Amino acid sequence: MLGMLGGGQLGRFFVISAQKMGYQVTVLDPDKNSPAGKIANLHLCANYNDIGALKKIIQSCLAITTEFENIPATTLKFLEKDLIVRPSSDPVSIVQNRIFEKSFLKDNNFPVGPFVIISNIKAIDLVTDEMYPAILKIAQFGYDGKGQAYINNQKELISAFENFGNKPCVLEKKLVLDLEISVVLARGHDGSKINFPVVENQHVSGILDISIVPARVNKDLCNEAIRYAELVASKLNYIGVIAVEFFVSKGRIYVNEVAPRPHNSGHYTIDACDFNQFDLQVLTLTGNAIKSPVLKSNAVMVNLLGDRWFKNNQLNQPNFDLFKNVPNETLHIYGKNEARSGRKMGHFTLTGDNLNILLARAEEIKTLL
Ligand code: ADP
Ligand code: MG
């Protein structure tokens, strides 16, 4: 029995991988309708700091992992006294807080864009005019562009900071992006590392829209991204699957952020590789050997947000029939009870040789849906 903290779609794909390998999975998630909880062998429907539930996990599980970075580090600390927890509380507590994360990256000489830590309203006085335009990001609990505000001047900065309840934030200079890329990497307990091919990511309103594999960037930039991702993992003493997001701006690479888990931009691995990012999450958790994946074909992955479930404000399921019996065009639906605007409901992946054809077909499917 393996444990999974969190019951979203990432947890659900982990359950599928683990069960395929013969493991059972206990999922802890307070939502009784969580996508992973629905297919787990056991769903503990309780809060992440529920001592009774955590004790049950310690008694029954061989090891535990997580699917989202906002798991309280105290929960991981409690579990790791008696159980294998991968990733452990130390790296998770760094990357779940943008202030700690940015400071870690800067202190270790990773390339990061200009940023200022805004712990309180006074810190705003120290922000120079070169920082604008900028993005204010709340230090904790932001995701998919939530907890972020675009800022053009000091006046807007003050009001955005107050809007965020004066909570600690990071102010980042808005970079002019050539494109965004990411690397999903696994690091074993013996320090061995393997990575999936570098992905190119296109976002809409701060949410991932399309991933393209392989990324259309030169080999040197790809290698640089992989090297930085490896370094992030080893400097964090990380065991498990980790994802590193990068900006490419004026030909230079910058680390954007780190996710202590498999990543939306790695979903293409399910259909385009000989094994996927969730398989590796199981293998690193159980201490099994890891080997390099093979990319069987190029791929384009498109996210399906809840907005597609509505037409003229009426609930209207997209036309998924078009995926029936079509090889190389695969639909994944996460089993969420309710569609909401901006909510990730599923994705589809197209595989094939020619990226231009795949991208054109992706646009066509979006319209047909
Ligand atoms: P999240 O946790 O929501 O993924 P990110 O920091 O990755 O937060 O921001 C989401 C997206 O917003 C990025 O992928 C990028 O498209 C855009 N973005 C964020 N920070 C910057 C920046 N400093 N300059 C330019 N674009 C940015
Ligand atoms: Mg991001």
Side-chain angles (χ1 to χ4, degrees):
M1 179 77 84
L2 301 175
M4 167 50 77
L5 297 165
Q9 63 270 18
L10 299 176
R12 183 177 170 104
F13 284 122
F14 172 86
V15 172
I16 293 168
S17 281
Q19 290 177 341
K20 187 174 69 185
M21 293 182 211
Y23 294 102
Q24 300 189 56
V25 183
T26 294
V27 165
L28 176 63
D29 190 305
D31 176 3
K32 68 177 190 319
N33 294 316
S34 75
K38 282 179 184 168
I39 63 165
N41 300 82
L42 180 66
H43 175 199
L44 295 173
C45 189
N47 286 326
Y48 296 119
N49 53 9
D50 184 304
I51 296 293
L54 298 182
K55 282 188 171 156
K56 215 175 210 167
I57 286 171
I58 289 170
Q59 279 158 15
S60 58
C61 292
L62 193 72
I64 192 158
T65 187
T66 173
E67 63 123 35
F68 86 132
E69 51 267 48
N70 293 329
I71 291 290
T74 45
T75 292
L76 300 177
K77 274 212 151 63
F78 181 84
L79 291 170
E80 66 200 3
K81 284 187 294 188
D82 299 297
L83 190 63
I84 293 172
V85 180
R86 291 176 176 162
S88 63
S89 59
D90 285 343
V92 174
S93 54
I94 293 172
V95 303
Q96 71 183 189
N97 181 311
R98 284 191 196 274
I99 295 177
F100 299 160
E101 180 183 49
K102 275 275 184 310
S103 308
F104 159 81
L105 291 170
K106 196 172 177 188
D107 294 348
N108 286 287
N109 298 317
F110 288 99
V112 286
F115 72 94
V116 181
I117 292 169
I118 313 281
S119 306
N120 52 50
I121 197 100
K122 275 214 208 104
I124 291 178
D125 293 339
L126 301 176
V127 177
T128 52
D129 278 345
E130 306 91 81
M131 281 299 289
Y132 305 112
I135 306 174
L136 185 70
K137 301 181 181 180
I138 202 157
Q140 271 186 295
F141 305 120
Y143 69 100
D144 285 346
K146 294 190 179 74
Q148 298 195 7
Y150 284 74
I151 308 283
N152 291 301
N153 51 50
Q154 194 187 56
K155 196 166 155 248
E156 288 180 13
L157 177 55
I158 293 169
S159 79
F161 184 69
E162 286 172 353
N163 259 338
F164 288 161
N166 290 46
K167 293 202 183 83
C169 288
V170 172
L171 185 76
E172 288 180 24
K173 187 174 173 63
K174 186 171 181 293
L175 300 176
V176 177
L177 303 183
D178 306 342
L179 81 175
E180 295 184 66
I181 57 178
S182 60
V183 176
V184 174
L185 179 135
R187 185 171 181 271
H189 65 288
D190 56 355
S192 56
K193 288 184 282 287
I194 65 106
N195 64 277
F196 287 101
V198 179
V199 187
E200 174 182 340
N201 299 312
Q202 296 178 355
H203 294 79
V204 175
S205 310
I207 307 179
L208 182 64
D209 180 36
I210 296 188
S211 290
I212 301 162
V213 195
R216 295 167 298 176
V217 289
N218 68 53
K219 210 157 174 57
D220 289 347
L221 218 64
C222 271
N223 288 337
E224 225 182 325
I226 293 167
R227 196 168 49 84
Y228 284 133
E230 287 179 344
L231 263 177
V232 166
S234 24
K235 295 241 182 228
L236 285 171
N237 241 323
Y238 192 95
I239 307 175
V241 171
I242 189 168
V244 183
E245 297 176 17
F246 299 90
F247 296 135
V248 181
S249 176
K250 298 178 182 162
R252 287 193 52 198
I253 193 165
Y254 299 87
V255 179
N256 169 21
E257 59 170 355
V258 180
R261 50 171 172 79
H263 196 257
N264 194 170
S265 70
H267 285 354
Y268 80 90
T269 60
I270 299 170
D271 298 298
C273 294
D274 55 346
F275 55 86
N276 66 51
Q277 57 173 349
F278 305 98
D279 296 335
L280 273 186
Q281 192 180 19
V282 177
L283 294 174
T284 49
L285 180 61
T286 52
N288 282 295
I290 50 176
K291 60 170 180 141
S292 276
V294 174
L295 182 68
K296 295 185 292 183
S297 61
N298 294 343
V300 168
M301 189 269 338
V302 178
N303 268 342
L304 296 171
L305 301 185
D307 309 65
R308 285 189 186 279
W309 270 248
F310 295 94
K311 211 179 200 169
N312 306 325
N313 279 331
Q314 297 284 314
L315 200 59
N316 181 57
Q317 163 115 350
N319 173 22
F320 291 135
D321 284 351
L322 62 100
F323 289 101
K324 273 190 187 145
N325 304 318
V326 186
N328 305 329
E329 296 185 354
T330 312
L331 175 71
H332 298 267
I333 292 293
Y334 305 150
K336 296 186 180 177
N337 277 26
E338 196 195 348
R340 286 199 293 266
S341 172
R343 189 176 206 198
K344 289 173 179 166
M345 301 298 290
H347 72 265
F348 65 85
T349 306
L350 311 180
T351 54
D353 297 332
N354 186 317
L355 277 182
N356 289 329
I357 293 175
L358 296 182
L359 283 166
R361 176 65 181 152
E363 286 309 315
E364 189 179 23
I365 290 177
K366 277 186 182 180
T367 322
L368 293 171
L369 281 177

